[in-house]
Amino acid sequence: MAEREFTNEQQVVEHFQKLQSEYQSIANTISELELEKKDHDNVLQALKDLNDENRKTFRLVGQVLVERTVKETIPAVQDNSDNLGITIKKFTEQLNDKTLELNAFKTRYKIKFRGESDNTKVKERSSQGVLHSE
């Protein structure tokens, strides 16, 4: 994707905020999917501990509660868990790409947050020891 040129500071700030918002949205989606996967894994563990494969289970499909057996439910829940894992991986890749895009944008437009300093200055200070003059 060709990098757009910004003509003023306001456009840079707006685009940076947009990138941060996209980053946060992806991160939130990953968190929600991870919680859902954990729920699926907990259900799988509970079902695997049952000895009777013909025991009734109730599974919510859409907005309908469906009666199944443990034997039928385990593969369906396992598939859902596996698919969630794949989806989480894809979103994690998107998050990594967005991180690189944000960092490149910060570097290109020399964006720094309050309190953020250059690494070189921090290294110089730390190498001088506790007592130093500036």
Side-chain angles (χ1 to χ4, degrees):
M1 183 170 119
E3 185 69 26
R4 183 177 150 204
E5 280 298 320
F6 299 99
T7 56
N8 63 45
E9 186 177 324
Q10 182 65 28
Q11 290 176 333
V12 171
V13 170
E14 287 173 0
H15 187 71
F16 185 70
Q17 288 173 340
K18 179 182 172 243
L19 290 174
Q20 284 184 308
S21 176
E22 291 169 357
Y23 175 92
Q24 193 59 47
S25 176
I26 296 168
N28 289 341
T29 300
I30 291 171
S31 294
E32 291 170 10
L33 291 172
E34 285 175 339
L35 286 174
E36 192 171 336
K37 184 174 181 348
K38 185 175 180 180
D39 287 344
H40 278 71
D41 293 343
N42 287 339
V43 168
L44 278 172
Q45 188 59 46
L47 289 175
K48 287 178 180 177
D49 290 343
L50 298 175
N51 294 327
D52 184 8
E53 288 185 336
N54 296 318
R55 185 172 175 174
K56 287 183 188 178
T57 61
F58 293 91
R59 186 166 170 251
L60 194 61
V61 178
Q63 294 184 352
V64 178
L65 197 58
V66 180
E67 182 179 326
R68 297 280 188 248
T69 64
V70 170
K71 184 178 178 179
E72 296 168 321
T73 302
I74 287 177
V77 175
Q78 183 66 57
D79 284 347
N80 285 350
S81 179
D82 293 345
N83 288 336
L84 284 167
I86 292 167
T87 304
I88 289 167
K89 184 177 177 183
K90 288 179 182 177
F91 274 106
T92 301
E93 290 169 2
Q94 287 180 14
L95 189 67
N96 292 338
D97 291 345
K98 191 58 67 177
T99 300
L100 293 174
E101 185 179 357
L102 264 167
N103 288 337
F105 193 82
K106 278 177 64 175
T107 302
R108 181 175 185 176
Y109 290 98
K110 298 177 178 82
I111 297 172
K112 291 186 182 172
F113 294 104
R114 288 190 183 124
E116 192 176 7
S117 63
D118 290 334
N119 289 339
T120 56
K121 290 181 182 176
V122 171
K123 287 179 184 174
E124 287 173 10
R125 287 185 190 145
S126 64
S127 66
Q128 292 177 354
V130 177
L131 300 174
H132 65 276
S133 61
E134 292 186 35

